[in-house]
Amino acid sequence: MRLVVRNLSKTFSMGFFSRRHVEAVRDVSFEVKGGEIVSLVGESGSGKTTTAKMILRLLPPTRGEILFEGKDVWRDLKEREELREFRRKMHAVFQDPFASYNPFYPVERTLWQAIELLGEDLSKQDKLNLIKESLLRVGLDPKDVLGKYPHQLSGGQKQRIMIARCWILKPLFIVADEPTSMIDASSRGGIIKLLEEMREENGTSIMFITHDLGLAYYVSDRIFVMKDGRIVEEGSPDEIVLSPKHEYTKTLVSSIPKLYKRMEDLV
Amino acid sequence: MVEPLLKVEGVRAYYKLGRVFVRAVDGVSFEVNEGEVLGVVGESGCGKSTLSNVLMMNLRKPLVLVEGRVLFKMGNGFLEISSLGREEVKKRLWGKEMAVIPQSAMNALMPTIKVRKYVEHLAESHNIPKEEILEKIRIRFQEVGLDPVWLERYPFEFSGGMRQRAVIAIATLLNPQLLIADEPTSALDVVNQKIFLKVLMQMKKRGIVKSIVFITHDIATLRQMADRMVVMYAGKVVEVSPLEEMLRKPLHPYTKGLLDSVLTPEPEVKDRGITTIPGAPPNLIDPPTGCRFHPRCTYAMKVCREKEPALVEVEKGRKVACFLFTEEIA
Amino acid sequence: MFKVMFKPLLKNRKFLIGFSVFLFFLVLGLFGPIFYRVDPTEMTWNHEKPPSREHPLGTDTYGRDILAQLIHGIRSSLYIGFLSAIISLTIGTFVGTFSAVKRGVVDETLMAITNIVLTTPSILVAILIASYMRVRNVEMVALILGLFQWPWFARAIRAQLMSVMSREYVYLSVMAGYSDLRLIFEDLIPTIATYAFMSFVLFINGGIMGEASLSLIGLGPTQGISLGIMLQWAVLMEAVRRGLWWWFVPPGVSIVAITASLLVISTAMDEVFNPRLREE
Ligand SMILES: Nc1ncnc2c1ncn2[C@@H]1O[C@H](COP(=O)(O)OP(=O)(O)O)[C@@H](O)[C@H]1O
Ligand SMILES: Nc1ncnc2c1ncn2[C@@H]1O[C@H](COP(=O)(O)OP(=O)(O)O)[C@@H](O)[C@H]1O
Ligand code: SF4
Ligand SMILES: [Mg+2]
Ligand SMILES: [Mg+2]
């Protein structure tokens, strides 16, 4: 098992004088095998991003454990080098392509960061060639990208660069948190294809997070349906989409806009 | 007999940036008929939001109307709103005849101003008694599935889906004939998208609004309620077709590309697999010559690089701007 | 990085005008005393003389040279302005950053204090403290003023940091193995720097105005000279009523010109930076 998540919970507490609690993630458990693509599907606010951040070691959990390659992400990574190793092996693509780039730097900064994290002893020219190759790999012309600032590129192009970053690192695990929800519908398929290719080439496991079951249907080996912080149903894409059992899954399925069939209950 | 409610004739609207122009809407003509939902689709940066501003005559600083007319049906005739100034159109038509849900309206609401204040502001600008309009919005809120107590809340307390419903409730308060919705669902999850579409269709069914222009990059969403489609690419209209016919047989290669890139869990889609349109829409300061789609078009011919295809009717009710169709006819 | 941030400023007309005016006074304050070596406190028998060759801007009741006073006054007013701005900026940055990073109880306590300071009528407290001290040098006045200017800045920094720290690009830098220090220098500071810079300008302004207000009611520095003190003397000796224009016009014009130039600079910066901030 590449990733094991057990009884993961996160409660946000706000306010000092008047305390309020939000149970964003409740008792979530699942496992992901090497080279497997799983999807976490649910509407906004269901706790998907919170789960992702805990797995990525960006947000400490309230309870539960996350084992990556057998090591507890939050308890076993003590040494600096261990942590860097973890960062190399587990990476992410986030939802908002605009917020994924610091507006003060050219977009390729994110690729230089990846090369630095790799820590390989390469000449500057080799590094630049690696960057160019990664861009070509995700279907971008380095000419159109290098030296550009974030606002000069489209959302789809920016998400492709994020995948180029993953391609440089070739991690064992990628958390893709709604990588397609803020870009053009016509660019979504391309991003999904690239993620699939990462899996084919390197055996990367991917956790694909989305609110759109329709997209999850295409990429996943297994789908987890999340509602109010809990996983309420799990199964293969066909099971979930073609014969959903849980009421909430049925709502999700009926909410997917289809191309060849109009929703009947709109009017 | 379909009657147009709004007519757009040869409109060019550019952003004037110093010495260069961004030709965001460049020679566009079409009609919005009474009682229809017209879908406008195209990738980001193709000029859809600019077009919505032109329809409303909401022309501000860098954006100027260079050429063309926009006509709105008033009584028995048409009012040429493009000959009036922005303020004039705002005073006479906005809210009462035509209303818009702007792109990112969700964030346009000031987080520190209560929703009720927006409504009161609307009452003031239309000289309607405050109490009357507050009563109206309470009912309208309930109709869109929001508890009227939310009128006393601040926009940041709303979830995305709720905020968008609040926006549509306020925008349609004076029962405008035409509602223009610019990407109203693009930032919502599918569950909230559907709730919003339901609210929208209810409004049309109950006659609160007559016609809707729905702008989006997502054909699958449009498919749920549009009657006709206008496909926009790089500031131009490349195809106008009834929705069902367009789905059955897309004419313009761009339309086909858009349809083929949609991913929905359907057997038809699963069979064809994932395809994408290579490249990205061009910069509109210096768009490609000839057919603006030619650098991305798999059917591009020599003539496509040199001459610009005109939008012509090739079947009844279907127009397309592509040499694959017009050359044979000519 | 700084090139990206500040180059567009140099193309803004407003900024250039404001900055030139400010630079003029800065140079006057910094180098004036070196070239015009007249002791501003030296009393002569030439009382209240209008401008002449000997005293280019005339003299006051005690026969002291106005030009010398003006140059030294500008110098110490600017000094007070800068010093109080540095104090405000330091406290504000510290409180705001600490609040944003530590969150929880630390945040709530610091913000409670901030709000208290924010809502107290600061000039009154400054008057109280100032009147309590018998001897006040220029630094003390700057400190008093600096202690009351920071709250709104602390709040703004906290809000900005909180929003920046939840941006994806910060997570991506963390995931690239950045140390906290590197994260602060490469990602956090540039984002808040433009804002801090703008605030700094306004703080200088606040310091200069604050000193002038304190001095006018007799609570300015008891040692040395400043634009506020010059005005206070002019007022005490009824220079305005008696038409001794060379006495009150120069310090008055200087204060107005300096503070106006600072306001122009900050609005220009707002114009230049804000569309870029919104673009994110
Ligand atoms: N930093 C935070 N502080 C307080 N509440 C939070 C925070 N982050 C997320 N939440 C809350 O946790 C819940 C789940 O959020 P999230 O994980 O972002 O959901 P999703 O990604 O599925 O949209 C929401 O109710 C959200 O408001
Ligand atoms: N205020 C503006 N100033 C200059 N150019 C603009 C402005 N707003 C939009 N544009 C440009 O106009 C073109 C069309 O933009 P827009 O109408 O927003 O497209 P869409 O809504 O289809 O994404 C784009 O190339 C965009 O960069
Ligand atoms: S005109 Fe030519 S380039 Fe343009 S869409 Fe038709 S075939 Fe393609
Ligand atoms: Mg999320
Ligand atoms: Mg738009």
Side-chain angles (χ1 to χ4, degrees):
Chain A
M1 275 308 145
R2 192 160 280 174
L3 182 81
V4 179
V5 173
R6 272 195 219 121
N7 308 107
L8 192 63
S9 302
K10 178 75 195 182
T11 306
F12 290 105
S13 305
M14 284 163 302
F16 176 48
F17 300 111
S18 58
R19 273 213 170 297
R20 280 187 299 129
H21 300 281
V22 178
E23 289 185 63
V25 176
R26 312 179 198 205
D27 211 19
V28 162
S29 302
F30 61 88
E31 296 179 345
V32 184
K33 294 196 266 288
E36 191 181 26
I37 301 186
V38 300
S39 289
L40 198 56
V41 185
E43 65 184 274
S44 53
S46 56
K48 306 182 298 292
T49 297
T50 307
T51 306
K53 282 185 189 163
M54 290 189 285
I55 294 174
L56 288 165
R57 205 179 190 280
L58 295 170
L59 182 76
T62 311
R63 272 187 312 282
E65 53 184 7
I66 302 160
L67 300 174
F68 178 60
E69 295 273 284
K71 279 190 186 167
D72 189 312
V73 170
W74 283 95
R75 297 189 191 90
D76 294 342
L77 304 177
K78 299 247 165 48
E79 305 285 312
R80 203 176 120 77
E81 203 31 57
E82 274 178 318
L83 189 57
R84 280 180 78 86
E85 182 71 23
F86 170 75
R87 295 277 177 226
R88 274 194 286 272
K89 286 183 177 167
M90 160 97 75
H91 220 72
V93 178
F94 291 115
Q95 175 173 9
D96 187 344
F98 301 90
S100 290
Y101 294 83
N102 188 329
F104 285 106
Y105 301 92
V107 287
E108 64 263 28
R109 173 188 189 227
T110 203
L111 302 177
W112 286 106
Q113 285 183 337
I115 288 184
E116 201 186 306
L117 180 59
L118 266 188
E120 274 166 30
D121 199 13
L122 296 173
S123 72
K124 179 121 188 177
Q125 191 53 47
D126 285 345
K127 288 178 181 172
L128 197 60
N129 286 340
L130 187 58
I131 283 181
K132 285 185 180 155
E133 193 189 343
S134 73
L135 289 170
L136 287 171
R137 195 60 201 68
V138 297
L140 292 172
D141 187 341
K143 271 205 320 292
D144 298 342
V145 172
L146 295 178
K148 289 270 164 62
Y149 283 87
H151 66 269
Q152 295 172 299
L153 299 179
S154 75
Q157 286 172 310
K158 279 183 277 216
Q159 288 303 55
R160 280 172 187 267
I161 299 174
M162 286 327 302
I163 294 180
R165 175 172 153 131
C166 289
W167 184 87
I168 290 174
L169 287 170
K170 302 202 171 48
L172 293 175
F173 200 103
I174 296 176
V175 177
D177 186 0
E178 308 219 31
T180 57
S181 70
M182 288 178 73
I183 62 175
D184 271 346
S186 58
S187 313
R188 288 177 185 159
I191 299 292
I192 284 176
K193 245 186 177 166
L194 286 171
L195 286 173
E196 280 185 328
E197 284 167 15
M198 290 284 294
R199 184 252 299 262
E200 309 294 272
E201 285 172 25
N202 309 312
T204 310
S205 307
I206 295 171
M207 185 163 106
F208 182 74
I209 296 178
T210 178
H211 61 82
D212 188 350
L213 253 182
L215 286 178
Y217 181 69
Y218 279 94
V219 283
S220 336
D221 300 315
R222 271 183 310 143
I223 294 177
F224 303 108
V225 178
M226 201 163 178
K227 176 176 175 27
D228 295 336
R230 287 203 174 84
I231 289 180
V232 295
E233 187 169 354
E234 137 173 29
S236 72
D238 281 337
E239 283 166 5
I240 296 280
V241 174
L242 303 180
S243 52
K245 298 201 176 52
H246 195 279
E247 272 314 305
Y248 181 67
T249 316
K250 286 180 190 161
T251 311
L252 276 183
V253 171
S254 75
S255 301
I256 308 169
K258 302 204 178 62
L259 199 48
Y260 295 96
K261 204 161 156 281
R262 227 177 235 247
M263 286 176 184
E264 273 137 20
D265 51 348
L266 269 191
V267 196
Chain B
M1 184 56 206
V2 285
E3 292 279 335
L5 176 63
L6 180 91
K7 293 197 274 193
V8 180
E9 297 175 350
V11 163
R12 293 179 200 278
Y14 298 168
Y15 295 96
K16 194 165 180 277
L17 307 177
R19 253 165 281 120
V20 298
F21 293 98
V22 181
R23 306 169 181 208
V25 171
D26 207 8
V28 163
S29 305
F30 64 91
E31 280 113 45
V32 183
N33 294 325
E34 281 189 334
E36 81 171 340
V37 178
L38 181 72
V40 177
V41 72
E43 290 161 285
S44 301
C46 285
K48 305 184 300 296
S49 297
T50 311
L51 180 66
S52 85
N53 280 324
V54 172
L55 298 186
M56 294 289 291
M57 277 296 117
N58 183 21
L59 304 171
R60 270 194 295 192
K61 253 209 304 197
L63 182 61
V64 283
L65 183 68
V66 179
E67 207 182 299
R69 306 197 302 164
V70 181
L71 303 144
F72 191 86
K73 190 177 174 201
M74 297 277 270
N76 293 323
F78 279 89
L79 176 68
E80 189 182 334
I81 59 175
S82 49
S83 66
L84 308 174
R86 175 177 181 269
E87 292 310 313
E88 178 86 14
V89 179
K90 182 174 176 181
K91 208 170 82 208
R92 283 172 60 182
L93 283 92
W94 287 12
K96 288 176 287 195
E97 305 292 338
M98 55 198 326
V100 68
I101 302 176
Q103 186 166 9
S104 68
M106 289 165 76
N107 308 325
L109 296 176
M110 285 280 292
T112 51
I113 296 177
K114 277 184 191 165
V115 175
R116 185 164 58 93
K117 278 267 175 267
Y118 284 96
V119 181
E120 287 175 2
H121 183 76
L122 193 73
E124 264 165 44
S125 59
H126 288 283
N127 290 321
I128 304 169
K130 236 184 219 171
E131 262 322 304
E132 186 184 320
I133 213 159
L134 281 175
E135 190 47 40
K136 238 178 162 169
I137 190 73
R138 278 188 206 109
I139 299 169
R140 190 59 56 82
F141 256 46
Q142 268 159 353
E143 287 168 356
V144 301
L146 289 171
D147 191 319
V149 299
W150 283 89
L151 281 168
E152 305 299 327
R153 304 269 174 88
Y154 295 97
F156 74 87
E157 298 177 81
F158 287 59
S159 72
M162 293 168 70
R163 220 178 302 172
Q164 212 57 328
R165 274 180 279 152
V167 168
I168 193 177
I170 297 172
T172 59
L173 202 51
L174 305 176
N175 296 10
Q177 310 234 28
L178 175 68
L179 177 68
I180 300 166
D182 189 1
E183 309 261 11
T185 55
S186 299
L188 303 179
D189 62 53
V190 284
V191 178
N192 282 296
Q193 278 177 13
K194 186 170 173 186
I195 295 172
F196 184 86
L197 292 185
K198 266 189 173 164
V199 165
L200 196 64
M201 294 321 285
Q202 275 296 324
M203 292 204 157
K204 175 150 178 291
K205 192 178 166 199
R206 305 204 8 249
I208 293 170
V209 298
K210 274 211 189 91
S211 309
I212 297 172
V213 174
F214 195 105
I215 298 174
T216 178
H217 61 79
D218 190 355
I219 271 195
T221 304
L222 268 185
R223 195 271 171 272
Q224 309 310 319
M225 71 316 166
D227 301 309
R228 285 194 314 139
M229 300 281 255
V230 167
V231 182
M232 251 188 117
Y233 183 74
K236 301 216 167 254
V237 169
V238 297
E239 180 168 350
V240 180
S241 285
L243 177 93
E244 297 296 340
E245 289 170 40
M246 192 192 82
L247 286 174
R248 207 171 317 123
K249 192 183 84 179
L251 297 178
H252 199 279
Y254 182 59
T255 314
K256 189 167 179 338
L258 285 179
L259 281 172
D260 286 349
S261 61
V262 171
L263 277 185
T264 55
E266 294 172 275
E268 292 91 336
V269 175
K270 195 146 200 181
D271 290 345
R272 70 155 150 76
I274 305 175
T275 49
T276 50
I277 313 171
N283 184 327
L284 294 180
I285 291 175
D286 186 22
T289 55
C291 171
R292 290 188 179 177
F293 189 57
H294 84 251
R296 301 173 74 189
C297 180
T298 40
Y299 305 94
M301 305 163 281
K302 187 162 169 286
V303 59
C304 304
R305 274 180 287 277
E306 291 152 6
K307 279 201 288 180
E308 199 181 305
L311 185 71
V312 289
E313 185 153 12
V314 292
E315 286 171 29
K316 195 175 171 313
R318 300 195 71 178
K319 291 180 184 173
V320 64
C322 170
F323 289 122
L324 289 176
F325 302 90
T326 45
E327 287 289 87
E328 317 170 337
I329 291 168
Chain C
M1 178 190 97
F2 284 95
K3 219 166 64 193
V4 185
M5 277 161 51
F6 293 110
K7 215 158 116 197
L9 261 186
L10 299 178
K11 286 197 208 129
N12 184 298
R13 276 239 322 267
K14 257 190 207 165
F15 178 82
L16 288 178
I17 293 172
F19 190 67
S20 315
V21 173
F22 182 72
L23 202 65
F24 170 75
F25 283 98
L26 191 67
V27 169
L28 203 64
L30 279 181
F31 301 110
I34 298 172
F35 293 108
Y36 189 71
R37 298 178 154 280
V38 176
D39 184 352
T41 54
E42 189 196 21
M43 301 188 192
T44 64
W45 294 109
N46 294 328
H47 319 290
E48 304 184 354
K49 286 281 177 310
S52 62
R53 177 157 307 163
E54 202 182 339
H55 300 287
L57 283 179
T59 59
D60 67 4
T61 311
Y62 304 105
R64 294 175 299 193
D65 186 80
I66 300 277
L67 180 59
Q69 288 188 27
L70 185 72
I71 291 172
H72 282 88
I74 289 172
R75 178 181 242 195
S76 53
S77 278
L78 286 175
Y79 178 57
I80 291 176
F82 271 102
L83 203 62
S84 69
I86 289 170
I87 294 169
S88 306
L89 203 73
T90 313
I91 304 178
T93 308
F94 184 78
V95 171
T97 313
F98 223 60
S99 264
V101 174
K102 292 286 173 198
R103 313 261 164 135
V105 186
V106 176
D107 178 29
E108 306 221 4
T109 320
L110 283 177
M111 279 304 113
I113 296 172
T114 306
N115 285 335
I116 291 170
V117 181
L118 192 67
T119 46
T120 18
S122 54
I123 196 73
L124 288 184
V125 184
I127 288 172
L128 264 172
I129 299 179
S131 57
Y132 194 72
M133 295 191 297
R134 315 255 1 213
V135 184
R136 298 178 295 268
N137 58 22
V138 169
E139 283 82 6
M140 282 175 181
V141 172
L143 182 69
I144 295 173
L145 292 168
L147 282 179
F148 289 97
Q149 288 200 83
W150 57 269
W152 59 266
F153 178 66
R155 288 229 304 218
I157 286 293
R158 170 179 172 272
Q160 287 218 334
L161 267 182
M162 288 213 175
S163 109
V164 173
M165 286 193 309
S166 60
R167 300 261 168 88
E168 275 95 341
Y169 65 76
V170 171
Y171 290 128
L172 285 161
S173 290
V174 170
M175 285 173 29
Y178 274 29
S179 65
D180 287 353
L181 205 65
R182 183 150 179 214
L183 191 73
I184 287 170
F185 275 101
E186 284 193 23
D187 282 308
L188 302 188
I189 289 184
T191 314
I192 56 172
T194 52
Y195 187 75
F197 200 67
M198 242 154 65
S199 309
F200 188 68
V201 171
L202 289 175
F203 281 147
I204 298 177
N205 196 357
I208 292 173
M209 296 286 273
E211 184 276 329
S213 331
L214 280 182
S215 292
L216 273 179
I217 52 171
L219 294 170
T222 50
Q223 297 157 357
I225 197 161
S226 70
L227 292 177
I229 299 223
M230 280 182 78
L231 279 178
Q232 187 212 351
W233 282 333
V235 168
L236 275 181
M237 296 300 164
E238 302 196 307
V240 181
R241 193 181 54 75
R242 294 194 289 140
L244 311 177
W245 55 269
W246 60 89
W247 193 354
F248 63 85
V249 168
V253 165
S254 301
I255 287 198
V256 172
I258 293 174
T259 52
S261 71
L262 288 170
L263 284 177
V264 170
I265 291 175
S266 82
T267 39
M269 290 206 282
D270 193 40
E271 264 172 33
V272 174
F273 291 142
N274 258 340
R276 291 153 60 78
L277 295 178
R278 267 183 234 120
E279 214 167 52
E280 290 171 25

